[in-house]
């Protein structure tokens, strides 16, 4: 039982009836409700990643005869050093993965009533050394640009799946959406418990209401210049022929491809769709197929909008929901460099 408690996936068992109160049916039901809310404190994918981080750490501790609880900064310093320079045939982890693992451990310790001080010298100095020796610029996925997305949707048929996938690509591109945001959309507000937002179609376009890491945000997607590339037109066609007026927006289809099922699509479908249509459209055909499959992913849509939209950077930042302009610039693969020449402006 103790081992299960150590390696749990983050179920908030700390939510309980106060010890000073006697349990009752109504209070016990409120405990279940409070636990459901506590589970929603982090995104599902984040919770799964943190669970894997904790499982890896506890397994590492067991193999070395150490106890994961209570938190030991000295032990965690050794752990992250081993992640960067493994003493087995396991591959070394990147700096960003090690930092994510630390976040996962801190989260799990917090769920168990402990505090992990990441600024402790045993952790901070080792991490600083790892960053200094191993840090490198993050590998960025290729951006799907305007001409690319047009070529990609042109490869899709006009059957039910084709209508759905066309709407996914165009809505994802025009909205600058993450793949998880695309598939989490519902037709209307509060349609499903696992909804990540909903859509409101108007005369001038569509408004997406999205639940992000820091709260809700609205994303406006205007109508395009032609029906062939208009994201709102593509969405309307999919909803009409799939007969969707409630529940998940993007769903699996039946085997005969004649009706939409009730099952929400996985975000992995978006990644596979992008990779396949990139290949079918012949984008970056000078590269080997394997390399193209690696370079394009779900984030390619988001980076494509940021790189292609010729508007003030502030509008792109708001559209993508970024807290800083610097984060937005990381997504801009094709922005105009040296548009402002401070060297000449300074008189040189």
């Amino acid at each position: 039982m103790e081992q299960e408690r150590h390696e749990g996936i983050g179920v908030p068992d700390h939510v309980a009836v106060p010890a000073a109160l006697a349990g009752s049916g109504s209070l016990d039901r409120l405990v279940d409700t409070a636990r459901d809310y506590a589970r929603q404190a982090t995104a599902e994918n984040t919770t799964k990643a943190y669970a894997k981080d904790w499982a890896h750490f506890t397994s590492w501790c067991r193999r070395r005869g150490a106890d994961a609880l209570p938190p030991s900064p000295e032990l965690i310093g050794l752990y992250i050093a081993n992640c960067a320079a493994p003493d087995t045939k396991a591959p070394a982890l990147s700096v960003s993965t090690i930092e994510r693992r630390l976040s996962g451990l801190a989260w799990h310790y917090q769920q168990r009533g402990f505090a992990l001080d990441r600024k402790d010298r045993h952790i901070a100095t080792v991490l600083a050394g790892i960053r200094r020796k191993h840090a490198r610029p993050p590998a960025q996925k290729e951006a799907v640009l305007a001409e690319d997305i047009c070529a990609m949707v042109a490869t899709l048929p006009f059957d039910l799946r084709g209508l759905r996938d066309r709407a996914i690509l165009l809505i994802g591109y025009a909205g600058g959406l993450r793949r998880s945001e695309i598939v989490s959309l519902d037709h209307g507000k509060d349609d499903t418990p696992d909804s990540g937002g909903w859509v409101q179609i108007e005369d001038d376009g569509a408004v997406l209401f999205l639940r992000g890491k820091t709260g809700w945000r609205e994303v406006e997607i205007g109508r395009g210049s032609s029906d062939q590339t208009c994201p709102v037109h593509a969405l309307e066609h999919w909803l009409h022929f799939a007969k969707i007026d409630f529940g998940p927006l993007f769903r699996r289809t039946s085997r005969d491809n004649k009706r939409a099922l009730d099952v929400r699509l996985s975000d992995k479908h978006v990644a596979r769709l992008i990779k396949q249509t990139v290949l079918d459209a012949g984008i970056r055909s000078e590269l080997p197929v394997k390399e193209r499959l690696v370079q394009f992913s779900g984030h390619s849509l988001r980076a494509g909008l940021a790189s292609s939209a010729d508007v003030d950077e502030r509008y792109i930042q708001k559209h993508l929901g970024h807290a800083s302009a610097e984060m937005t610039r990381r997504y801009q693969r094709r922005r105009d460099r040296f548009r402002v020449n401070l060297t000449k402006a300074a008189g040189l």
Side-chain angles (χ1 to χ4, degrees):
M1 182 64 68
E2 182 70 12
Q3 190 66 31
E4 291 178 358
R5 186 172 71 89
H6 285 196
E7 297 185 12
I9 59 171
V11 176
D13 291 329
H14 59 278
V15 178
V17 176
L21 296 178
S24 67
S26 60
L27 286 178
D28 290 340
R29 286 191 294 273
L30 284 176
V31 168
D32 292 337
T33 302
R35 285 180 177 175
D36 287 339
Y37 280 124
R39 290 186 184 97
Q40 299 299 319
T42 55
E44 182 180 358
N45 287 344
T46 302
T47 302
K48 289 179 180 178
Y50 284 176
K52 290 180 180 178
D53 294 337
W54 182 252
H56 185 274
F57 174 62
T58 54
S59 174
W60 182 88
C61 289
R62 279 200 311 273
R63 294 197 303 272
R64 287 158 178 79
D67 196 345
L69 293 174
S72 165
E74 295 90 341
L75 183 64
I76 292 175
L78 296 177
Y79 170 68
I80 62 174
N82 193 218
C83 288
D87 54 1
T88 64
K89 293 183 179 179
L93 299 183
S94 67
V95 175
S96 60
T97 301
I98 292 172
E99 291 175 334
R100 206 281 316 286
R101 287 222 166 145
L102 275 176
S103 297
L105 298 187
W107 186 86
H108 272 275
Y109 277 125
Q110 185 180 37
Q111 303 309 304
R112 290 158 172 78
F114 297 100
L116 175 63
D117 183 10
R118 294 177 57 172
K119 295 182 179 179
D120 184 282
R121 62 188 179 88
H122 294 95
I123 300 175
T125 53
V126 173
L127 184 59
I130 292 173
R131 286 189 184 124
R132 185 177 180 86
K133 185 173 182 179
H134 299 293
R136 56 184 182 272
Q140 293 184 320
K141 297 298 182 180
E142 283 278 349
V144 169
L145 303 177
E147 57 270 24
D148 299 329
I149 198 72
C150 292
M152 289 162 66
V153 298
T155 67
L156 296 171
F158 285 90
D159 57 12
L160 197 58
R161 289 193 192 106
L163 293 177
R164 178 198 65 192
D165 290 345
R166 184 175 282 101
I168 286 174
L169 289 176
L170 291 173
I171 287 290
Y173 179 81
L177 304 180
R178 302 174 179 89
R179 65 185 191 181
S180 59
E181 292 174 330
I182 297 172
V183 299
S184 70
L185 286 168
D186 277 0
H187 185 277
K189 183 180 180 182
D190 300 327
D191 280 359
T192 63
D194 60 340
S195 170
W198 72 95
V199 62
Q200 181 176 304
I201 298 178
E202 303 178 356
D203 291 341
D204 294 331
V207 181
L208 308 183
F209 299 86
L210 296 170
R211 181 175 61 192
K213 296 179 180 179
T214 58
W216 289 89
R217 80 179 198 274
E218 295 181 13
V219 174
E220 298 177 3
I221 299 180
R223 293 187 181 271
S225 55
S226 70
D227 287 346
Q228 288 73 27
T229 58
C230 174
V232 184
H233 180 79
L235 179 60
E236 289 173 326
H237 262 55
W238 157 245
L239 295 177
H240 173 74
F241 287 102
K243 299 178 181 178
I244 295 175
D245 58 9
F246 183 86
L249 208 60
F250 296 115
R251 314 172 179 194
R252 292 171 57 184
T253 59
S254 60
R255 289 189 176 183
D256 60 8
N257 198 18
K258 291 184 178 180
R259 59 188 178 89
L261 305 177
D262 293 334
V263 182
R264 187 187 301 277
L265 277 178
S266 163
D267 63 344
K268 293 179 181 178
H269 173 80
V270 180
R272 289 194 295 265
L273 172 63
I274 292 169
K275 292 176 184 294
Q276 187 59 55
T277 51
V278 162
L279 293 180
D280 293 344
I283 296 169
R284 298 296 303 276
S285 58
E286 72 277 7
L287 299 176
V289 170
K290 186 177 292 187
E291 189 171 342
R292 281 191 283 167
L293 290 175
V294 170
Q295 290 194 5
F296 288 91
S297 73
H299 249 53
S300 295
L301 297 180
R302 196 164 163 83
L305 177 82
S307 303
S308 299
D310 189 17
V311 296
D312 191 291
E313 194 175 75
R314 293 172 298 172
Y315 296 110
I316 300 175
Q317 179 182 340
K318 179 178 182 295
H319 198 77
L320 298 183
H322 288 154
S324 68
E326 182 57 36
M327 177 58 72
T328 301
R329 294 188 190 106
R330 295 182 189 178
Y331 283 78
Q332 293 174 316
R333 310 288 195 264
R334 198 177 65 173
R335 66 177 185 267
D336 295 334
R337 296 186 182 276
F338 306 112
R339 181 169 52 186
V340 176
N341 190 328
L342 290 181
T343 305
K344 290 183 178 179
L348 298 180

